[in-house]
Amino acid sequence: MSVFIGSMELGLLYAIMVMGIYISFRVLNIPDLTTEGSFTFGLVISALFVTKGHPVLGLFMAIAAGAVAGIVTGFLQTKMNIHPVLAGILTMSGLYSINLWVLDGSSNLTLLGTESIYTMLRSQFEGLSRDTVELMIGAVIVLIVIVILYFFFQTELGLAIRATGDNPDMVRASSINVDTMKMIALAISNGLIALCGGLITQYQSFADVNSGVGTLVVGLASVIIGEVFFGRRSLTIGFISCVAGSVIYRYIIAIAINSQWFPAYMLKLVSSIIVALALALPVIKTKIVESKAKRRRKSC
Amino acid sequence: MLEVNHASKIFAKGTPNQKIALRNLNLSLKEGEFVTVLGSNGAGKSTLFNAICGSFILDEGSIRLDGRDITFLSEHKRARQIGRLFQDPMKGTAPNLTIEENLALSYSRNSKGLFSKAVGKKERELFREKLRTFDMGLEDRMKTKIGLLSGGQRQVVTLLMSTIVTPKLLLLDEHTAALDPATSEKVMEITNRIVKENNINTLMITHNMASALVTGNRTIMLDDGEIIFDMTEEKRKGMTVSDLMVMYSEKKQQNFDNDRILLSN
């Protein structure tokens, strides 16, 4: 039972990151590797503020930190004309040093015995069980994020960002600065990813500079799993499918580990295979159809 | 209205691939003029459009639009006053956005603020009304993704998008060339109507000489980066396609002779 609830909790928290990745990957059409750095950046910033006694402020600072990372990547992509994937790698790599610097050179930091939003709200709602409070925190934050994104993407700015991923030429022709739109989108995307990092560190009362490794693939896998169930329809459904995908991903992992199909260290490989297969699926499908057609004509 | 003065542009300057795209080109449009632009491939028609739109900055010369110097203005800022259509119907619309969202995006030139709702009730009503005038049933498909429309339909929507906030200048780059004859005629008819109703200054590139002579009220022909002739309404009246061809080859011959004189000296 506790695995069931634990996976749900993690799934909800990571859903915030998955929505961030969805914005760069599906809305902007850019695989943004900044993710791995900005996730940890949010995580260490949040941890730092927790140790100073400001857990809530820490979450907002995490968002700001992630947004700055996103703007840097956006700047490299647009103004400096660096390949989007490379621009992300550069920011991610640079952030590794910055993250260590935030933690004063040590690679991890324990937050046990400090006040986080989890301890705060647990003492606030003493009548409820620990799991219920933790689940509620995740669910409420996810809901707030979805509602904000829902309204945002219907504004003129939101519409311009969506069109930028679809047809930048047309956006430029509508007198909108494409470079600015990309930077804003990457700022929002990485802000969400960093917020996720900030929440995770308070949830587990622990910060580690290596916790960002592989987050992009995890996020992509969640996006894709969500799309298997919901299809690719409107943006709002997309965000909801991100949440579902993220939770389902955690369950797949929990089941796999509990049934001992593979050891825990194989997780990243499995995630990579899921993403690779899902992205290759269209090609595999057409190949199968083609070879069937070939065989049919040969046998005639 | 539009003034292009001594515009020059050389691509890949100083390399073996050097190409003189615009040669000291001068063009001046008066208020309400609809100019058709002729010229063979590589004559510099599209380059002229790109220069006006700001895809690149001129090596020499200046461009003024409605009294304002736009020579060094960035592309998206110029787009506030310039509407442009391409031959490729895919180019002017975002396929995964709905018709109304596409229209809203270009309508945002009249921005009410970045965080205001893009497609409100008032906008939807306006778009529906405008689409109805095309008589293509598009007004009932406002929530359809543009990617699902045919090329002709997309081009009509693009036309509306680039004129929904009346531009100072409309540039049409063979915008009917990729369409079948019937659709092409329909799009042309809509174009004429929109341009006339809003009195928009227009430049239209076309390869159809016959239609170039009867569309709008002035025709120019480009060759090798310069305007080789410029005919106002009276001058081109009574002109036929074969007259045009004769004029063109005479002009070419003249240039050829000039070259010969130059080389033999």
Side-chain angles (χ1 to χ4, degrees):
Chain A
M1 197 58 200
S2 79
V3 177
F4 180 82
I5 292 172
S7 298
M8 189 73 172
E9 284 169 14
L10 275 179
L12 284 173
L13 287 183
Y14 276 104
I16 298 163
M17 175 188 82
V18 177
M19 288 189 268
I21 288 173
Y22 185 87
I23 291 174
S24 58
F25 184 62
R26 284 292 187 224
V27 179
L28 269 194
N29 259 328
I30 298 169
D32 178 27
L33 276 157
T34 319
T35 307
E36 315 231 324
S38 57
F39 178 84
T40 322
F41 197 20
L43 189 132
V44 294
I45 291 282
S46 163
L48 185 73
F49 276 88
V50 166
T51 58
K52 302 261 191 280
H54 301 292
V56 179
L57 180 64
L59 292 180
F60 286 102
M61 293 313 285
I63 297 177
V68 170
I71 290 171
V72 170
T73 303
F75 175 80
L76 293 176
Q77 271 181 28
T78 55
K79 301 292 179 194
M80 298 296 121
N81 215 358
I82 296 173
H83 189 282
V85 173
L86 185 56
I89 292 175
L90 289 174
T91 314
M92 170 188 80
S93 195
L95 277 175
Y96 192 77
S97 297
I98 293 182
N99 292 337
L100 279 170
W101 175 60
V102 172
L103 291 190
D104 239 350
S106 67
S107 65
N108 54 48
L109 179 69
T110 172
L111 302 175
L112 287 173
T114 54
E115 194 182 40
S116 70
I117 60 158
Y118 283 92
T119 58
M120 277 164 69
L121 289 167
R122 243 181 264 141
S123 54
Q124 200 51 233
F125 300 98
E126 265 181 17
L128 299 170
S129 76
R130 183 192 170 120
D131 279 336
T132 319
V133 174
E134 286 176 351
L135 262 181
M136 291 223 327
I137 294 175
V140 167
I141 295 179
V142 164
L143 201 67
I144 293 173
V145 170
I146 290 183
V147 169
I148 291 177
L149 290 177
Y150 170 77
F151 283 109
F152 174 73
F153 278 105
Q154 291 194 354
T155 62
E156 284 185 9
L157 181 60
L159 192 62
I161 288 174
R162 286 166 59 200
T164 300
D166 221 13
N167 185 350
D169 286 333
M170 166 261 194
V171 174
R172 216 170 280 124
S174 300
S175 194
I176 295 165
N177 190 337
V178 172
D179 294 351
T180 312
M181 291 308 120
K182 279 191 183 162
M183 280 193 258
I184 294 174
L186 287 173
I188 296 170
S189 160
N190 284 292
L192 287 175
I193 293 163
L195 170 63
C196 174
L199 283 166
I200 291 287
T201 193
Q202 300 199 16
Y203 174 73
Q204 62 193 16
S205 300
F206 187 69
D208 186 307
V209 286
N210 293 314
S211 37
V213 178
T215 45
L216 178 64
V217 174
V218 171
L220 292 178
S222 306
V223 169
I224 288 164
I225 292 170
E227 283 172 353
V228 169
F229 288 93
F230 285 83
R232 286 180 69 177
R233 281 181 286 180
S234 75
L235 205 60
T236 316
I237 293 178
F239 288 127
I240 293 169
S241 86
C242 283
V243 180
S246 175
V247 173
I248 294 167
Y249 178 84
R250 293 292 147 188
Y251 279 120
I252 294 175
I253 287 175
I255 293 168
I257 290 177
N258 278 319
S259 57
Q260 292 181 327
W261 290 340
F262 51 78
Y265 59 77
M266 283 303 211
L267 275 181
K268 297 238 151 83
L269 179 63
V270 174
S271 311
S272 292
I273 292 174
I274 291 177
V275 174
L277 272 180
L279 295 181
L281 208 59
V283 179
I284 297 172
K285 268 186 191 159
T286 46
K287 287 277 176 214
I288 291 173
V289 172
E290 271 175 18
S291 68
K292 266 187 191 160
K294 246 187 243 167
R295 235 176 293 144
R296 195 168 349 109
R297 282 172 59 184
K298 268 182 193 159
S299 62
C300 286
Chain B
M1 183 59 224
L2 174 75
E3 304 262 354
V4 180
N5 291 316
H6 306 289
S8 292
K9 181 72 191 177
I10 303 177
F11 288 118
K13 205 174 190 169
T15 70
N17 292 325
Q18 174 167 316
K19 158 91 182 140
I20 301 178
L22 294 176
R23 233 180 255 271
N24 195 20
L25 185 142
N26 290 296
L27 176 67
S28 167
L29 249 68
K30 284 198 284 286
E31 197 69 48
E33 270 189 317
F34 185 167
V35 182
T36 50
V37 183
L38 288 168
S40 53
N41 290 330
K45 305 176 303 283
S46 294
T47 312
L48 174 63
F49 276 21
N50 284 335
I52 296 172
C53 286
S55 305
F56 56 78
I57 285 171
L58 289 174
D59 293 343
E60 308 271 340
S62 68
I63 302 171
R64 297 179 79 83
L65 183 62
D66 206 22
R68 182 169 171 228
D69 191 340
I70 59 165
T71 317
F72 300 107
L73 208 63
S74 68
E75 194 174 0
H76 74 268
K77 282 189 182 141
R78 293 188 204 193
R80 186 172 285 275
Q81 293 166 338
I82 302 175
R84 187 177 190 182
L85 258 75
F86 295 92
Q87 179 178 347
D88 183 357
M90 307 299 146
K91 232 172 164 174
T93 46
N96 286 315
L97 265 54
T98 62
I99 295 181
E100 58 179 23
E101 285 170 338
N102 269 283
L103 287 167
L105 195 77
S106 40
Y107 193 61
S108 71
R109 273 179 256 218
N110 257 359
S111 180
K112 308 168 295 285
L114 286 175
F115 293 102
S116 57
K117 204 159 188 275
V119 198
K121 216 173 174 183
K122 234 174 73 193
E123 286 81 20
R124 195 167 283 139
E125 211 38 59
L126 174 83
F127 299 159
R128 191 186 301 277
E129 200 178 295
K130 295 254 179 192
L131 285 170
R132 192 174 293 131
T133 61
F134 300 146
D135 213 12
M136 292 173 105
L138 290 173
E139 66 274 14
D140 300 321
R141 302 176 64 188
M142 302 247 293
K143 291 201 191 296
T144 310
K145 283 187 180 174
I146 289 261
L148 299 172
L149 302 186
S150 71
Q153 291 169 325
R154 278 180 85 158
Q155 205 64 317
V156 167
V157 175
T158 315
L159 193 59
L160 177 56
M161 282 169 65
S162 43
T163 53
I164 194 155
V165 175
T166 311
K168 296 233 163 81
L169 181 67
L170 182 62
L171 302 176
L172 307 169
D173 194 344
E174 285 190 70
H175 69 304
T176 61
L179 310 174
D180 66 70
T183 316
S184 161
E185 200 169 302
K186 169 104 190 170
V187 172
M188 211 42 240
E189 177 202 312
I190 293 173
T191 308
N192 275 319
R193 200 179 68 220
I194 291 182
V195 168
K196 202 166 280 173
E197 271 172 12
N198 302 295
N199 196 27
I200 307 170
N201 292 276
T202 306
L203 282 169
M204 182 177 87
I205 294 177
T206 175
H207 281 301
N208 185 337
M209 293 206 194
S211 95
L213 286 173
V214 295
T215 310
N217 40 31
R218 181 176 165 192
T219 300
I220 60 175
M221 185 182 269
L222 262 72
D223 189 60
D224 203 19
E226 43 191 356
I227 296 176
I228 53 169
F229 44 79
D230 184 344
M231 291 177 295
T232 50
E233 193 144 36
E234 302 87 59
K235 255 168 106 185
R236 69 171 200 187
K237 217 176 261 170
M239 267 270 191
T240 61
V241 173
S242 50
D243 292 341
L244 210 59
M245 292 300 286
V246 171
M247 272 176 76
Y248 177 68
S249 47
E250 271 174 6
K251 207 80 180 184
K252 274 295 223 193
Q253 191 63 39
Q254 225 174 47
N255 286 346
F256 183 65
D257 287 345
N258 286 343
D259 284 350
R260 210 157 44 187
I261 293 163
L262 211 72
L263 289 171
S264 61
N265 278 342

